[in-house]
Amino acid sequence: MSAAESHVMVDVELKEVTKESWPEVMNLAFKLEQGGLVAPNFYRVREFKAEPTFVQLAIFHEENVVGFAMYGLDPDDGKYWVYRLMIDVDQQRKGFGKAALIKLIDMMSELPDCDEIFVGYRPENFVAHALYMSAGFKRTGQMLQGEYIARLDLKEK
Ligand SMILES: CC(C)(COP(=O)(O)OP(=O)(O)OC[C@H]1O[C@@H](n2cnc3c(N)ncnc32)[C@H](O)[C@@H]1OP(=O)(O)O)[C@@H](O)C(=O)NCCC(=O)NCCS
């Protein structure tokens, strides 16, 4: 049984960001900035790139974009990271973040060279902490650029 099947979850779909979904993604990133939920300029890429370094995913619920996440192999450390998991302010606390993270983990588990996943979050971000811990991530004890680093060992799943 996959991680996704072992949870009763709201329905979300992860689809690569396209030119069409890009404005909606930017809108929710902007709302999060304005709400103080993410640092100003948290999301710096203002233009859609057809071939980004990391895979950019729009999180859909019933045809609407409710969130965004990005993952990929960081060329600096050769490790797989999930970056910028975010859910629209008006759509938070409905289970979308958790459902999207579980789907993303399942998706990344299928990659032939991915046996661990790293994330970073600010120490005061207790929601991100709870979310990642509930999905099986454990803090490494490391801090990078003011963020706690946590790791999920896919071999233990
Ligand atoms: C972190 C974030 C993605 C969570 O998304 P979400 O859809 O609101 O989360 P969910 O509804 O799936 O809840 C996930 C878990 O966090 C808990 N949680 C969510 N919001 C909470 C809050 N405001 N207070 C306390 N707990 C909260 C839930 O209880 C849930 O835990 P569970 O396993 O017990 O159900 C969202 O808050 C967000 O976009 N934050 C801003 C960006 C960010 O901080 N990203 C992560 C670091 S880069």
Side-chain angles (χ1 to χ4, degrees):
M1 185 187 285
S2 74
E5 286 163 343
S6 64
H7 291 75
V8 177
M9 286 187 304
V10 292
D11 186 36
V12 292
E13 266 191 279
L14 306 185
K15 298 184 195 171
E16 277 202 44
V17 174
T18 60
K19 263 198 158 74
E20 287 68 41
S21 58
W22 184 250
E24 278 187 82
V25 167
M26 285 316 301
N27 187 40
L28 73 90
F30 183 71
K31 272 163 74 184
L32 281 165
E33 274 188 13
Q34 296 306 297
L37 283 166
V38 294
N41 299 321
F42 173 84
Y43 197 64
R44 289 164 202 274
V45 186
R46 295 287 168 192
E47 286 179 17
F48 177 68
K49 279 197 194 161
E51 290 180 32
T53 315
F54 296 100
V55 181
Q56 300 176 325
L57 297 168
I59 302 165
F60 280 81
H61 174 67
E62 294 175 350
E63 310 297 319
N64 298 311
V65 175
V66 295
F68 173 77
M70 205 157 81
Y71 78 89
L73 198 56
D74 189 324
D76 291 339
D77 61 9
K79 297 183 188 310
Y80 275 99
W81 288 78
V82 169
Y83 294 115
R84 314 225 193 297
L85 172 63
M86 56 170 94
I87 298 294
D88 187 334
V89 204
D90 301 327
Q91 301 292 340
Q92 291 180 4
R93 304 223 63 176
K94 297 180 181 177
F96 294 140
K98 179 84 174 268
L101 180 61
I102 299 290
K103 279 212 164 163
L104 186 51
I105 292 168
D106 280 347
M107 190 187 265
M108 293 175 76
S109 317
E110 301 292 315
L111 301 169
D113 57 344
C114 180
D115 53 17
E116 54 180 358
I117 303 172
F118 289 84
V119 293
Y121 55 92
R122 298 196 66 82
E124 65 273 20
N125 195 344
F126 67 93
V127 176
H129 175 81
L131 175 62
Y132 291 131
M133 296 303 123
S134 75
F137 283 82
K138 295 191 177 107
R139 279 190 50 203
T140 62
Q142 227 187 337
M143 274 194 97
L144 275 179
Q145 294 171 353
E147 293 194 329
Y148 286 158
I149 305 304
R151 169 181 176 268
L152 179 68
D153 189 339
L154 294 174
K155 297 192 293 293
E156 281 178 8
K157 275 198 347 140

